[in-house]
Every structure is written in C-alpha cells, then in structure tokens.
Amino acid sequence: MGAFQITLTVRDGTTLSVPLEQVVERSMRTATSWTWLGVALVGGLLTLAFVALPAGSVEQSAVYDAAGLAAIAAALYGIRLHRPASRQPWLLLALGQLSFVAGDIIWTTLAALGEDPFPSPADAAYLLGYPILAVGLGVAIRRRIAGGDRAGLLDGAILATGAAVVWWTFVLGPLTETSDPDPVGFLFGIAYPLGDLLLIGMALGLLVAPGARSTSFRLLVANLLALLVGDLVFGLQSVAGTYVDGGLLDVTWLAGYVLFGMAATHPSMARVFEPSPISVALLGPVRIVLLAVAMLVGPALLLVDHANESSVVLVVAGASAIVSILVLVRLAGMVRNLSRDIQRREVLEAQLSYQAHHDPLTGLANRRRFFGAVHDVLDTGKGLTVLFIDLDDFKDVNDGLGHDAGDALLTEIGRRLVAVLRPNDLGCRIGGDEFAALLPGLVDPRDGEMVARRVLEVLARPLTIEGRELSVRASIGVAAADADEAVSVDELLRRADVAMYHAKAAGKHCVAIFAPGMDSPAAAVQGAHAGRGGPFRHVRPGRQPTPQPGSA
C-alpha cells in the first residue's frame, strides 16, 4: 500500500499531491522551532498570576512552585526534542534548577504548616543546587574550550577574584557580622553567598570561553544573571531586614526559571556547548577593560573605606592602582608583539608549505604533491585516471630561443593545462618538460583519452615567444584504475609513463592508452628516438598551424 497523499487544488484547477508524512514532518519541525516561545508565554501567564495573588499566600507560593516545575519539565523536553551532542551539561543544569524548585516546594509546605525554621530541609535543597550548577557550568566550559582559548579561563579567574572582593565587601562580610551566633545557623547563612560566589566564577568562565553566542546561550546567561541578581538583592535586604516574601524580588527568581526553560527548548541549544572555530584574541580591548576593572577593585574599595582615616592608606591604594594599570599596559604590549610574531610565522609557514608543494615556475603542483594526491584518491577507493604529458623536442626551443623563452613557454603551458582541467582535477609539473594531470572519478580510459586530446588541441594553439609564433606538440600517456582494482601509486604512474613512451614511438603529438602489452617500453623508447620532425613549427602571420594528431 502506498503512502497517504494530500491533494491540493489551486484556483486555476491545478492539483498538487503531497505525501502526508512530509506534511506531518514539516509541521512538527515548525512546531519545535516555536516551542521556546510557548514556554515564554506559559511562564509569562504564571508570572502574572503570581503577581496578582496576595503576597506571601500559600496560593501564590503554589503558583511559584508550579512555574518552577513547568520550566524544568520544559527543559527536559527540550533536551529530548533537540538531542544535543553534549547532554551532560544540560542535564546537570536542569538538576541544579530542580534542586532549587525542591527547596521552594519544601518551603511552601512548611509555610502551609505554619512553620518557619532556619536552617530547614528547604535550605539544604537550595544549597545543593549551587554546586550542581557549578559542575554543569564547568562541564560546559570544558566542552566549549576544547582546542580553543584556555587562557580565557585565567581571565575568568581574575574577574571572579575581583567579583569576590566586591561580594565580600557588600554581602558576605556584613552578613557574617549579623548572622546567627549558632554554628549551624552561621554556616548555613554564609553558605548562600559562597554558593553565589562560586556561580559568579563559573558564569564568568562561561562568558569568556570561546564558542557560539546563540539565542540559547544568551537565554542561559540571562537565567544565571537573574539568579545572581536575585541572590544579591536578597542578601542586601537580609542584612537590612527589608526582605518581603512574595514581592518583586521573587519575580526575579521566577523569571530565571522561565529563562532556563526557554534556553533549553530553543533549537540552538543543541550546539550551545560545542566548540566553535571562532577567532580568539590573545588580549583584546574588552578583556583589557575587564581585567583593569578587576585589578582596580581592591584599591577602589580601600579608598572608599579609609578615605578619611589615613593619608598613608590613600597613597598605598593609589600607588597599587597605578602599578596595576602599568603592569596591564606592559602585558598588553607584550601580547601585541607576540600576536604580530605569530602572524608573521603563520605567513612564513604558509609560504614554505606552498613552496614545498608547488612548482616555482608554473605555480602547478610539484611531483611531491602530485604523488600524494594520487595516493589519497586511491585510498578513498574511488577510480581515477592519470595523464603523463611530455613536450616533444622541447630542447629545440631552449637551443633556438634561449632558456628565458623556454621558461615563458613552460609557464604558458601550465596555464593552458589548468584551463582544460576540471576544478577538482590537479595539474602538475613533474620536472623539466614533463607535466601530469590527475583526473579523479574517471575510470574509463576513453574518458581520459578525450581529456588528453583536448590538452593536445589547446597546447597546439599558436603562442608568441620572443616575438615568434610557435605551436607546441606533446605526447600523452593515459592510465586508469577503477574502484575495484588494487593498484599502487608507483604502478599506476609507471603505466602512464610507459603509455607516454608508446605515444612518442607512434610518431609523437598523440595519445596512447596503457595496455598490458606495453609493460616493456624498450621498443617504444627506441621508436621515440627515431621519431621524425620537430614539434615546434614556426607559424607565419595569418596562417593557423595544422594539428597532426596521432592515434592511440
């Protein structure tokens, strides 16, 4: 039974039949590309419901918990839907977010029972989420920097250190001074800002690591930003005693859940943790500014804290800032010099590589590159044809017009040979007046013979050398190997060489296809030496040379 078809009729009466399977597949592909916007819509509705309910009510907390669970469910669906190559970091990040949601549910349950202990199982669930998220981000960073900018992690560590100073000054330090004197309560109290500090370091590492800045990546960064901003404001409000349950601060954390669900369901999530071959600056302007800010955090806070107490502190802080900037400027100069040296080395390596694989006179591939290319094609198991081209009596040109004219003639022959070949063919100058061509994919010798005859035709067109018009003749040997034939590079090239000598023996300016009976080229070589007539004939102005093709 054939596949189901959907028949559409347009206004002019034309009918179009489309397989039902194709319609369904296209519809599913379209639906999956818009899933993340559906998550945004559902999350927005739940956020509006949260704001509309009475602050601190059990109903409001239930909506908050439902939004968190929905975001995690959407993230798991996105992982299953888009099947990223790197699932592990996504699963770890989802598990960390789920730990936060579990803390929310436990806290809602305790609140419904009229209990508000500290610390509580809810705090344990919250705190467990931080190291899980940190591990997930660490795995993501390791995957994104594979073969990339590992020095960026050092920059991230510097920025994280600067952030740690700020975090201690405004959050962790004041919190330790006002925390519960009970040892357990004290440990739980400072564990939250320490967890945030850990996430700050990992988030900065993710930002400076190379890789694609896709929509999913930006949504994930926004999720982390919402989490950290919410925790920062909560810490400040806790110190000041102004936190209100169910207020706008909770909306920030709620938005973080929704952003994570959107990041995990966006189609670009499948590649967000893959290394990307982007250009990475050793120390670009943005990194210099960020590093300067991080280095000046300490002196700046010292100045703010002790501006009115001691002139010595002012001098020390100012001197530290100046030294930091000077060191950074010196480092930037060294990096620029290193970058220039690397660029010069890359240019030199490219030049040396080109010279090692190309003929300096004609620009064609040289013998080394040609033999390697034939070997590569044979390794793929595909058929190919090789042409060996030898110019007939090229010595007459060197003797009659000079070596400069001979070089000019060889250069023009190389240009004409490339013009005849296909883009994926390879022209080569073996050496002296010998050329070759690699024709991958041609397994029928007759196809190679047709190419060879076109080469003879193009080479025979008159060209002007030292003010004189010449017509070039050549002898070409053809050898082919199909995909099923096990033949070595040396054997295939030997066959083409033998066929070329038989073309010489046949009277020159002709093509010969290799056959098993040609295995001994001795007679062919003798015939070649006895060949009649020179290939380079002077052509009078207004007359076209008469080609004299031979037969294989």
Side-chain angles (χ1 to χ4, degrees):
M1 180 180 296
F4 290 102
Q5 300 281 328
I6 295 179
T7 302
L8 305 175
T9 303
V10 297
R11 293 181 179 180
D12 60 358
T14 304
T15 60
L16 177 64
S17 296
V18 181
L20 178 60
E21 181 181 356
Q22 181 177 347
V23 174
V24 173
E25 181 182 355
R26 184 172 300 177
S27 300
M28 293 180 63
R29 189 183 302 116
T30 302
T32 56
S33 63
W34 294 98
T35 302
W36 69 288
L37 292 178
V39 174
L41 177 61
V42 174
L45 293 175
L46 290 173
T47 302
L48 291 176
F50 175 84
V51 175
L53 291 170
S57 64
V58 176
E59 293 79 9
Q60 187 190 47
S61 297
V63 171
Y64 186 93
D65 298 341
L69 287 174
I72 302 304
L76 295 177
Y77 174 73
I79 296 172
R80 183 177 183 275
L81 178 66
H82 299 297
R83 301 182 182 277
S86 303
R87 291 191 180 188
Q88 187 180 10
W90 279 114
L91 292 174
L92 287 170
L93 293 177
L95 182 60
Q97 299 282 347
L98 181 60
S99 183
F100 291 152
V101 175
D104 296 333
I105 295 174
I106 295 173
W107 187 89
T108 300
T109 303
L110 293 174
L113 296 175
E115 300 179 6
D116 188 18
F118 180 82
S120 70
D123 295 296
Y126 286 136
L127 293 176
L128 181 62
Y130 291 98
I132 295 177
L133 286 179
V135 172
L137 292 174
V139 174
I141 293 171
R142 181 171 59 85
R143 293 184 182 276
R144 283 174 68 91
I145 67 172
D149 180 26
R150 296 182 180 273
L153 292 182
L154 181 59
D155 295 343
I158 296 174
L159 296 175
T161 303
V165 174
V166 177
W167 202 261
W168 173 269
T169 302
F170 293 104
V171 179
L172 192 55
L175 190 62
T176 56
E177 296 176 359
T178 60
S179 60
D180 192 340
D182 177 67
V184 177
F186 175 79
L187 292 176
F188 271 83
I190 66 171
Y192 281 101
L194 288 176
D196 287 325
L197 187 57
L198 177 63
L199 284 187
I200 289 175
M202 301 308 295
L204 290 173
L206 182 65
L207 282 174
V208 299
R213 265 56 175 173
S214 61
T215 300
S216 177
F217 179 84
R218 296 187 182 96
L219 290 170
L220 180 60
V221 171
N223 156 252
L224 296 173
L225 182 62
L227 171 62
L228 293 172
V229 169
D231 286 358
L232 172 62
V233 175
F234 176 76
L236 296 176
Q237 290 183 354
S238 297
V239 172
T242 59
Y243 171 71
V244 177
D245 183 24
L248 294 179
L249 178 57
D250 292 342
V251 177
T252 304
W253 287 318
L254 184 58
Y257 286 140
V258 177
L259 289 169
F260 179 73
M262 294 171 63
T265 52
H266 193 275
S268 62
M269 65 85 65
R271 302 176 303 277
V272 74
F273 295 136
E274 294 180 0
S276 178
I278 64 174
S279 178
V280 179
L282 294 178
L283 195 61
V286 176
R287 287 191 180 181
I288 290 178
V289 172
L290 292 176
L291 292 177
V293 171
M295 296 173 69
L296 293 177
V297 164
L301 293 177
L302 196 60
L303 287 173
V304 171
D305 193 38
H306 298 282
N308 300 321
E309 296 185 9
S310 173
S311 60
V312 176
V313 172
L314 295 177
V315 173
V316 172
S320 299
I322 294 174
V323 170
S324 298
I325 294 298
L326 292 177
V327 170
L328 189 61
V329 172
R330 180 71 179 96
L331 178 61
M334 294 175 60
V335 170
R336 282 195 296 270
N337 292 334
L338 177 61
S339 179
R340 285 194 292 266
D341 291 341
I342 292 176
Q343 291 176 357
R344 286 195 293 265
R345 186 182 67 180
E346 290 176 348
V347 171
L348 180 59
E349 290 177 349
Q351 293 175 347
L352 293 176
S353 177
Y354 183 88
Q355 295 173 2
H357 295 91
H358 291 80
D359 174 55
L361 178 63
T362 63
L364 297 177
N366 59 14
R367 175 189 292 266
R368 177 181 180 182
R369 184 186 174 197
F370 183 76
F371 279 37
V374 174
H375 183 274
D376 292 341
V377 175
L378 289 175
D379 280 349
T380 62
K382 299 178 180 179
L384 75 159
T385 295
V386 171
L387 308 182
F388 258 33
I389 307 165
D390 186 84
L391 304 183
D392 295 331
D393 298 326
F394 176 73
K395 185 175 181 296
D396 294 349
V397 176
N398 281 336
D399 293 343
L401 301 179
H403 288 281
D404 290 342
D407 290 345
L409 178 62
L410 292 174
T411 301
E412 177 62 19
I413 290 173
R415 188 189 66 80
R416 293 188 178 189
L417 176 61
V418 172
V420 173
L421 301 179
R422 302 170 300 176
N424 61 327
D425 295 337
L426 181 64
C428 165
R429 183 189 177 201
I430 297 297
D433 60 350
E434 293 183 337
F435 293 80
L438 168 62
L439 312 176
L442 293 186
V443 296
D444 190 339
R446 291 172 296 182
D447 295 332
E449 180 186 10
M450 293 177 60
V451 176
R453 292 193 179 279
R454 287 202 301 271
V455 172
L456 290 182
E457 178 184 352
V458 170
L459 295 184
R461 294 172 184 171
L463 68 157
T464 301
I465 299 294
E466 298 289 342
R468 306 173 69 176
E469 289 189 349
L470 304 176
S471 177
V472 180
R473 295 187 181 187
S475 300
I476 303 179
V478 180
D482 57 33
D484 299 327
E485 183 179 4
V487 59
S488 66
V489 176
D490 293 338
E491 173 60 21
L492 180 62
L493 299 181
R494 186 193 69 83
R495 294 177 183 180
D497 190 46
V498 169
M500 183 271 294
Y501 277 112
H502 279 268
K504 290 278 190 184
K508 303 180 181 179
H509 193 57
C510 64
V511 179
I513 301 175
F514 176 80
M518 296 181 179
D519 283 343
S520 178
V525 174
Q526 294 176 1
H529 287 304
R532 296 172 299 170
F536 301 98
R537 296 178 294 113
H538 298 295
V539 181
R540 295 178 182 177
R543 294 184 59 186
Q544 296 295 328
T546 303
Q548 302 175 6
S551 58

